[in-house]
Amino acid sequence: GPYLFIGNDQGVFRSRGEGNDWALAVSGMYLFGSNPNKSGLLVGLGDRLISPPVKSSDMGITWSVDTFLESHNPPALCTLGNDIFIGSDGSNGWGAVFRSIDEGFTWTETAPLPLHDQLRVLTAIGSILFIGTGYNGVYSSFDSGVTLTQVTGAGDEVTAFASSDSIIYVALTSDFITGGIAYVSTNYGKGWNQISSSNRWVQAMIA
């Protein structure tokens, strides 16, 4: 698109062109998602005690508070085709996936996670949605979050995803002592191979 966006602890910044000049688009937001298949939709998420979540439908020119996101405070957001997905607390009081098909104006809960679990991260490859949880590893969904299939072992917290074509990387941690373990799948999450381990948690991945 015509703009490049970055987010940090000061807010979301916008650059027109190749990133040579930057202007503050909205303050108080350090994590945001976009849906390039729609009309310039951007979502800004931050510390809800400081700034409520906001939404822009004009490539970050104007912003408005999103009441649904404000009430749910989602930790994760991703897009799949023309749809937007967030993870938040569901109707059972634990983690769930929510889907919007109208640029975030309305949201529908698609599937709850197991009791006592929470959603940590989201990503999508092709038509597959991947859900990283706090206690039960990774789930995949081939029907936009309606049904979930566990694809990694229980007992692991997912801290980060990264993907490229059919390859997906995931960072897991089992406890404070073990630290982080990274796995890769080259077949859309059907099988996984360990690629690294560390006594520190992995908090971000890029591929």
Side-chain angles (χ1 to χ4, degrees), residues 32-81:
F32 65 94
S34 67
N35 192 352
N37 297 307
K38 290 290 186 176
S39 55
L41 178 68
L42 294 164
V43 176
L45 305 175
D47 187 337
R48 64 178 174 179
L49 298 178
I50 300 174
S51 302
V54 293
K55 181 173 65 178
S56 171
S57 296
D58 53 12
M59 296 300 292
I61 297 174
T62 60
W63 298 81
S64 60
V65 173
D66 189 292
T67 55
F68 180 88
L69 297 179
E70 184 179 19
S71 63
H72 285 74
N73 192 38
L77 178 150
C78 79
T79 60
L80 177 58

Side-chain angles (χ1 to χ4, degrees), residues 129-166:
L129 182 68
F130 288 91
I131 299 100
T133 69
Y135 304 104
N136 286 286
V138 179
Y139 289 83
S140 66
S141 176
F142 290 81
D143 53 10
S144 298
V146 176
T147 56
L148 306 180
T149 301
Q150 191 173 31
V151 296
T152 67
D156 293 322
E157 177 181 1
V158 181
T159 56
F161 277 134
S163 60
S164 176
D165 297 324
S166 62

Side-chain angles (χ1 to χ4, degrees), residues 11 14 18 24 68 86 93 95-96 99 113 119 122 127 129 135 137-138 146 156 158 165 167-168 175 179 183 189 202:
R14 184 180 66 172
E18 298 180 352
L24 181 65
F68 180 88
I86 64 169
R99 176 190 183 192
L113 297 178
L119 195 148
L122 288 169
S127 60
L129 182 68
Y135 304 104
V138 179
V146 176
D156 293 322
V158 181
D165 297 324
I167 302 174
I168 180 170
D175 52 56
Y183 292 87
V202 178

